[in-house]
Every structure is written in structure tokens, then in C-alpha cells.
């Protein structure tokens, strides 16, 4: 069997076009959706993500606000910035970019974001709604996994879904969203692996969502024939030659590449469908965040 490769770039592009149409319709009514990122200081990874969000905003026609208090800011000063963004009518959604500097606690900032502008579901109130199965802004990455499965035509009811990874931003909410769709869900994590039990669970999965951040974690023998595999992981690994030695670049440093958590080449022989890395969940995630901001904008203007 050779699996269908789930093309995240194509799905991301489809969603982008859907969003652009809605943005045009809103703009015709004088309404412009917008996102503000909150980056305190200049963490490299957070800055990269900020640039991606800014680019996505430009592509779908959102306004964009770069809120970037200095690294030395106090918690109270950053809270004041969040309050300004809460009150700013041009900002539909606020995205805090972590890590924050040590003097600023995540919860102090997240808890003061307006729940109606919390487009990546960081606020405990929105996460609580997710647990209760009430409408909320589902976190972008797990929402992307579910969107990809929806666009494959998956019926969640009673499906055996196993999520590898139990972080608050990916694994746990992925399991909750699937559970809210009446799937039979299990969640495995590092401690499951330490007990040697992960394979026992993954082998029972009709749908396997993997978000651990460990290259090569899921191998062919851990996947039920015909299962659908969604790989969320992003890992940088060395490119190896036929003898397993690192290939060097022209500066004499090991060449690297991005891979997921799943042994893609071998797992695609048993899975019925699989998402690649790169070109899988990432592109869809970007657009799910935009979709949440669009929804926030419509809610703020009383449009259903
Ligand atoms: P995290 O470090 O917060 O959590 C990792 C989870 O994996 C933990 O629950 C841990 O228990 C589990 N885990 C680690 N090693 C394991 C093992 N050997 N067996 C079973 N479980 C194991 O990471 P995260 O923020 O949830 O991100 C997970 C991965 O997804 C990372 O590679 C990250 O870069 C990637 N990611 C991708 C996107 C995207 O849009 N594509 C978005 C967010 C995160």
C-alpha cells in the first residue's frame, strides 16, 4: 500500500483563499480584521514566528500591529500594553509570542488578554470552554490537524484516535477537540514511552496524531495498516550519507534538514494517508490562526 500524502500547503492555500473572500466581504462593510503580536524583547524563535504572522496578515488582507516592548520591561508595563491592545478596535486578535523574559510570568500576561481576542486559546477561560465542548478559539495547531482530517472526509464518531504528546498547546487540545467530536481518544506521552507502552496504544489507532518533538519516534511497526497519520513534530536533524555519516556543507559544518516525529518513508508504506514535514501541519496552522482572528473580528462586530 502507498499512502495518500496529505498536502498541507494545498490545504493552507485553500483556507487562505476562503479567508481572503471573507475579508473582502467584511471590508465592503467597512470592517477590517487585524492581529497584534506581543513580543517582549527579541527572542530569535519568537521573532521568526512574528515575521510569519506579519506575512500571513499581509497575504489575507488583515491589518497587523507589532507590539514589541523592550526586554527590560516590567510585568506591569507589559500588562499595560495588553490592556491597550484589548481596547484597540483595529485589533481583532492578540497573539502573545513566548518565551517572555524571566521577570514576566506567562499567566500574568495571558490572564489579562481579552478572552474575545485570545485567538490561540491561551486564556484559561477559553481552554475551559474547549474542555466543556463550548464554542471557543481552538488552538491553531491542533485545529489544523482536525481540519486536515475533515478535508480528508474522516468521520470522527467512534474513531480510535491516539495523540502522542500531552502539551497544553498541541497534544492535550488535539485530544479534546477529537473527543468533542465523539472520537474514542487516548493520549500517550513521555511517561508512556518510559514504561514501554507507547506502541501498544499507537497500534490501535485509526488516526494517529504525533506531537512529541522527537525525530523518528513513530516507526512502521507502531502503525496499524490503513491508519491515517498526522505528524506535527518539527525537528532539525543532520543529513546523513549512505554510511550514516553527516554530510558537510561548504563551510565544513553538518548539513541539516527539517523532519517530523514519524519515520515518513517507511510509515507511508502502511498508512492510508500521512502528512509530511515540511509541507504538512505547519502551513495549515498558520491559516487556522488567521481563521480564529477572522471569527474574533466577526464576533466583535456582531456578525455570526
Ligand atoms: P512540548 O515539548 O511542549 O511537548 C512534547 C510532548 O511530547 C510532551 O507531552 C511529552 O510528554 C511528549 N513526548 C516527548 N518525548 C516523547 C516520547 N519519547 N514518547 C512519547 N511522548 C513523548 O512540545 P509541543 O509544543 O507540544 O510541540 C511538539 C512538537 O510539535 C515539536 O516538535 C514542535 O516543534 C512541533 N510543533 C509544530 C507546530 C506546527 O504548526 N507544525 C506547532 C507547534 C508545535
Amino acid at each position: 500500500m502507498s499512502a495518500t500524502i496529505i498536502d498541507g500547503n494545498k490545504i493552507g492555500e485553500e483556507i487562505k483563499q476562503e479567508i481572503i473572500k471573507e475579508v473582502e466581504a467584511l471590508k465592503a462593510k467597512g470592517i477590517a480584521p487585524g492581529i497584534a503580536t506581543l513580543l517582549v524583547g527579541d527572542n530569535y524563535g519568537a521573532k521568526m514566528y512574528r515575521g510569519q504572522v506579519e506575512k500571513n496578515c499581509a497575504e489575507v488582507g488583515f491589518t497587523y500591529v507589532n507590539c514589541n516592548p523592550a526586554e527590560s520591561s516590567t510585568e506591569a508595563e507589559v500588562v499595560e500594553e495588553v490592556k491597550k491592545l484589548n481596547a484597540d478596535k483595529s485589533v481583532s486578535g492578540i497573539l502573545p509570542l513566548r518565551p517572555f523574559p524571566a521577570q514576566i510570568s506567562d499567566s500574568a500576561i495571558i490572564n489579562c488578554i481579552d478572552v474575545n481576542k485570545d485567538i490561540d486559546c491561551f486564556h484559561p477561560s477559553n481552554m475551559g470552554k474547549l474542555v466543556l465542548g463550548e464554542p471557543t478559539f481552538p488552538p491553531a495547531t491542533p485545529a489544523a490537524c482536525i481540519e486536515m482530517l475533515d478535508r480528508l472526509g474522516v468521520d470522527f464518531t467512534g474513531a480510535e484516535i491516539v495523540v502522542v504528546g500531552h502539551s497544553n498547546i498541541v497534544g492535550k487540545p488535539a485530544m479534546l477537540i477529537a473527543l468533542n467530536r465523539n472520537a474514542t481518544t487516548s493520549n500517550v506521552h513521555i511517561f508512556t514511552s518510559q514504561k514501554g507502552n507507547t506502541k501498544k496504544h499507537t497500534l490501535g489507532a485509526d488516526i494517529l496524531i504525533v506531537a512529541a518533538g522527537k525525530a523518528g519516534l513513530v516507526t512502521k511497526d507502531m502503525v496499524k495498516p490503513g491508519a491515517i497519520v498526522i505528524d506535527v513534530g518539527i525537528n532539525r536533524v543532520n543529513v546523513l550519507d549512505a554510511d550514516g555519516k553527516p554530510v558537510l556543507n561548504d563551510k565544513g559544518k553538518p548539513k541539516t534538514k527539517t523532519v517530523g516525529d514519524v519515520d515518513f518513508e517507511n510509515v507511508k508504506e502502511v498508512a492510508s494517508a500521512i502528512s509530511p514535514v515540511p509541507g504538512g501541519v505547519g502551513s495549515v496552522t498558520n491559516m487556522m490562526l488567521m481563521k480564529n482572528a477572522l471569527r474574533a473580528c466577526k464576533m466583535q462586530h456582531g456578525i455570526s
Side-chain angles (χ1 to χ4, degrees), residues 277-299:
V277 178
V281 176
S283 324
V284 186
T285 297
N286 289 333
M287 287 304 130
M288 296 313 285
L289 187 74
M290 299 289 122
K291 222 173 151 171
N292 276 348
L294 183 64
R295 186 162 156 262
C297 175
K298 291 199 306 197
M299 276 168 49

Side-chain angles (χ1 to χ4, degrees), residues 226-268:
I228 299 171
V229 181
I230 304 289
D231 190 354
V232 184
I234 302 174
N235 308 287
R236 286 303 287 179
V237 297
N238 288 343
V239 176
L240 303 178
D241 66 15
D243 299 325
K245 291 196 183 120
V247 175
L248 302 182
N249 63 20
D250 47 14
K251 288 181 184 143
K253 297 238 166 86
K255 266 192 184 172
T256 59
K257 61 176 178 178
T258 300
V259 298
D261 293 344
V262 177
D263 174 9
F264 180 82
E265 286 308 321
N266 292 308
V267 170
K268 79 177 179 357

Side-chain angles (χ1 to χ4, degrees), residues 141 164-171 188-191 193 198 210-214 217 232-235 261 281-282 285:
T141 304
V164 182
H166 70 337
S167 71
N168 286 338
I169 62 159
V170 192
V188 301
H189 40 75
I190 185 72
F191 301 103
S193 285
T198 293
V210 189
K214 190 171 189 323
L217 176 65
V232 184
I234 302 174
N235 308 287
D261 293 344
V281 176
T285 297

Side-chain angles (χ1 to χ4, degrees), residues 42-259:
D42 67 349
N43 175 270
Y44 178 77
K47 261 197 323 201
M48 295 291 285
Y49 188 28
R50 190 196 69 74
Q52 183 66 49
V53 174
E54 183 174 9
K55 179 170 166 281
N56 293 335
C57 283
E59 285 176 4
V60 300
F62 285 8
T63 57
Y64 171 72
V65 173
N66 173 20
C67 180
N68 188 195
E71 183 88 26
S72 57
S73 306
T74 63
E75 195 170 272
E77 283 166 345
V78 178
V79 165
E80 279 312 305
E81 292 296 329
V82 174
K83 285 183 182 166
K84 280 187 216 154
L85 297 175
N86 284 344
D88 184 340
K89 288 209 166 26
S90 75
V91 172
S92 323
I94 301 168
L95 182 69
L97 298 171
R98 291 175 288 178
F100 293 140
Q103 73 277 16
I104 294 167
S105 89
D106 279 13
S107 59
I109 304 307
I110 281 164
N111 291 349
C112 74
I113 292 176
D114 180 340
V115 291
N116 295 315
K117 293 191 175 188
D118 173 38
I119 52 171
D120 212 5
C121 200
F122 288 123
H123 196 288
S125 163
N126 283 328
M127 193 49 114
K129 286 184 184 168
L130 193 69
V131 174
L132 296 171
E134 291 177 11
T136 185
F137 301 109
T141 304
C145 300
I146 302 299
E147 183 79 22
M148 291 163 91
L149 294 167
D150 273 335
R151 288 181 190 235
L152 263 184
V154 163
D155 179 5
F156 284 81
T157 311
E160 295 279 345
I161 300 193
V162 175
V163 179
V164 182
H166 70 337
S167 71
N168 286 338
I169 62 159
V170 192
K172 255 188 240 177
M175 192 196 64
L176 286 167
I177 301 170
L179 183 60
N180 290 338
R181 300 279 297 269
N182 297 324
T184 306
T185 54
S186 333
N187 189 232
V188 301
H189 40 75
I190 185 72
F191 301 103
T192 320
S193 285
Q194 284 173 5
K195 291 270 184 202
N197 287 333
T198 293
K199 179 175 172 180
K200 182 173 85 184
H201 292 277
T202 59
L203 266 178
D206 299 325
I207 296 163
L208 189 56
I209 298 174
V210 189
K214 190 171 189 323
L217 176 65
V218 172
T219 48
K220 185 178 171 180
D221 59 311
M222 295 168 73
V223 178
K224 176 164 131 184
I228 299 171
V229 181
I230 304 289
D231 190 354
V232 184
I234 302 174
N235 308 287
R236 286 303 287 179
V237 297
N238 288 343
V239 176
L240 303 178
D241 66 15
D243 299 325
K245 291 196 183 120
V247 175
L248 302 182
N249 63 20
D250 47 14
K251 288 181 184 143
K253 297 238 166 86
K255 266 192 184 172
T256 59
K257 61 176 178 178
T258 300
V259 298

